[in-house]
Amino acid sequence: MDPNFWHGRKVFLTGHTGFKGSWLSLLLSDWGAEVHGYALAAVEESLFRHGAIEDVMASSEIADIRHAEALTAALRRSEADVVFHMAAQPLVRLSYRDPVDTYSTNVMGTVHLLEACRRVEHVKAVLVVTSDKCYENREWEWGYRENEAMGGHDPYSNSKGCAELVTAAYRDSFLRGAHINVGSGRAGNVIGGGDYSEDRLVPDLIRAVAVGESAQIRNPSAIRPWQHVLEPLSGYVMLAERLAASDGAAFAEGWNFGPSSSGDRNVGDVTEALYRHWGAGAWKRDEAAQPHEAHYLKLDSSKARLRLGWRPRWDFEDTIARTTEWYKARTEGRNMRDVTRHQITSYLAAPGI
């Protein structure tokens, strides 16, 4: 990553009030970028609020990406040449309860964003963030590569596969001819400080230990590619820099940003490790009937390693330790923007693995 590339650069970021969006807003703003955010309002318990992230941004517009005209107008006002699209309905179980909202946000929201990009003349590079769950999951023991088929059993995963197809269609039909380079980023199961989402493992564990209850774990044997939030964000930033370069068309495709092999762990391993670092906590299996979720999921990030020079920096133990450290700092009433900045600095100083 090149901090100088971002100094004074105007960036448009959808989903800036969310978990990953808040980390990226702080990172780029501290590097001197003018970050213009567009998203729904942050929930009360969030990094965006606890870290007062809005205070470091150039602008923060609270609006819905399904409102095409408002989105286009906001992008035009930003004068940004680099766009990160992170706004999404990000939860598998919520997608079962509200599939229409999931598809309208994740699919049509992506359509609206890409349509806005082709209508606003100053956009040069676009990165659409999807998910490792965009792939047709065949429960393989090896990692999925970027040329694997899109799919998804549940509405969330399927909507992310659809968003990838939409991105490819817009790139090939409209944006390549307009000299706008469009890439997509697919990350693993991202954890880290500031995530308070419903029905996500780490927030559920933190909420349970905070009130002295045993956490309810749905599927302790399910294996996922766990990684700290800064890992994929570093990949997104590196890819965006390449997309905005003179030879950026060579990078306008899909990219995986997954953890090292140490991050491929089951849910039970994550739970035990987090509570070990916390110094307390207990869990039990939730025996209630559950909707379908994949048992095994892994990413192959060889392309990013070879062509971008991207490497994960924190292994599984580092990831758990930093995540636990952030939430403990929050319970102690510390300045969470400073805590988050300190973790970013530590991450950037770490060697690749």
Side-chain angles (χ1 to χ4, degrees):
M1 293 179 287
D2 179 11
N4 292 327
F5 173 90
W6 299 100
H7 187 78
R9 187 170 296 273
K10 295 177 180 178
V11 176
F12 189 76
L13 170 58
T14 72
H16 69 288
T17 59
F19 170 43
K20 285 199 287 187
S22 295
W23 280 86
L24 184 59
S25 295
L26 181 59
L27 172 66
L28 295 182
S29 295
D30 281 356
W31 281 352
E34 295 183 23
V35 181
H36 299 270
Y38 183 99
L40 297 177
V43 297
E44 194 61 36
E45 286 285 332
S46 62
L47 170 58
F48 190 76
R49 292 194 185 277
H50 295 330
I53 303 301
E54 183 177 1
D55 293 348
V56 304
M57 299 178 65
S59 70
S60 170
E61 183 163 341
I62 303 305
D64 196 316
I65 58 168
R66 292 172 294 184
H67 299 161
E69 292 184 4
L71 177 61
T72 303
L75 177 58
R76 181 169 284 114
R77 286 193 299 273
S78 74
E79 300 181 349
D81 62 345
V82 176
V83 176
F84 291 91
H85 178 44
M86 289 186 169
Q89 191 297 93
L91 303 173
V92 172
R93 287 166 67 84
L94 179 57
S95 77
Y96 280 108
R97 299 197 297 271
D98 196 345
V100 173
D101 180 72
T102 299
Y103 280 107
S104 63
T105 300
N106 294 354
V107 182
M108 289 309 300
T110 302
V111 171
H112 293 324
L113 185 279
L114 294 173
E115 184 69 12
C117 289
R118 79 181 185 111
R119 295 180 182 279
V120 175
E121 59 282 352
H122 45 72
V123 174
K124 299 301 178 187
V126 183
L127 177 58
V128 176
V129 175
T130 62
S131 168
D132 58 346
K133 296 176 180 63
C134 68
Y135 294 107
E136 180 184 348
N137 193 321
R138 301 180 183 181
E139 302 287 351
W140 284 333
E141 290 81 6
W142 52 87
Y144 291 88
R145 293 176 292 184
E146 288 86 350
N147 59 356
E148 307 283 1
M150 297 293 104
H153 180 281
D154 57 88
Y156 167 76
S157 303
N158 187 267
S159 73
K160 288 300 187 176
C162 291
E164 285 282 354
L165 295 174
V166 164
T167 300
Y170 260 81
R171 177 171 52 232
D172 296 338
S173 299
F174 307 115
L175 301 178
R176 200 187 303 275
H179 305 292
I180 300 174
N181 298 322
V182 183
S184 61
R186 306 155 188 177
N189 272 45
V190 176
I191 61 176
D195 185 8
Y196 291 90
S197 301
E198 177 188 7
D199 286 329
R200 274 192 183 154
L201 179 62
V202 168
D204 285 349
L205 296 177
I206 297 298
R207 280 188 285 264
V209 74
V211 296
E213 296 179 353
S214 294
Q216 297 277 333
I217 304 300
R218 298 189 298 272
N219 191 355
S221 63
I223 298 172
R224 296 286 185 272
W226 305 95
Q227 60 190 145
H228 192 273
V229 61
L230 287 170
E231 302 285 19
L233 291 186
S234 69
Y236 302 159
V237 168
M238 291 177 73
L239 178 55
E241 291 174 7
R242 304 306 194 281
L243 291 170
S246 58
D247 62 345
F251 299 91
E253 52 195 33
W255 298 80
N256 288 342
F257 299 101
S260 65
S261 59
S262 76
D264 297 328
R265 300 293 187 94
N266 67 41
V267 170
D269 290 338
V270 176
T271 301
E272 295 288 354
L274 188 143
Y275 280 163
R276 173 165 43 83
H277 280 276
W278 192 274
W283 66 276
K284 58 185 178 182
R285 182 161 188 161
D286 186 349
E287 300 295 344
Q290 305 292 340
H292 174 274
E293 292 187 63
H295 176 74
Y296 193 93
L297 185 58
K298 182 178 179 180
L299 288 177
D300 184 332
S301 303
S302 299
K303 186 171 81 167
R305 286 175 174 268
L306 292 172
R307 292 182 55 195
L308 296 177
W310 175 82
R311 298 285 189 279
R313 295 171 187 246
W314 284 344
D315 64 15
F316 177 75
E317 284 297 324
D318 289 329
T319 296
I320 297 297
R322 298 294 184 168
T323 300
T324 309
E325 174 187 83
W326 194 98
Y327 287 105
K328 278 194 168 185
R330 170 61 186 156
T331 65
E332 295 164 0
R334 293 170 58 187
N335 183 310
M336 296 316 297
R337 192 195 301 167
D338 288 347
V339 170
T340 305
R341 279 180 169 145
H342 176 73
Q343 292 201 343
I344 291 172
T345 300
S346 297
Y347 175 82
L348 295 175
I353 57 177

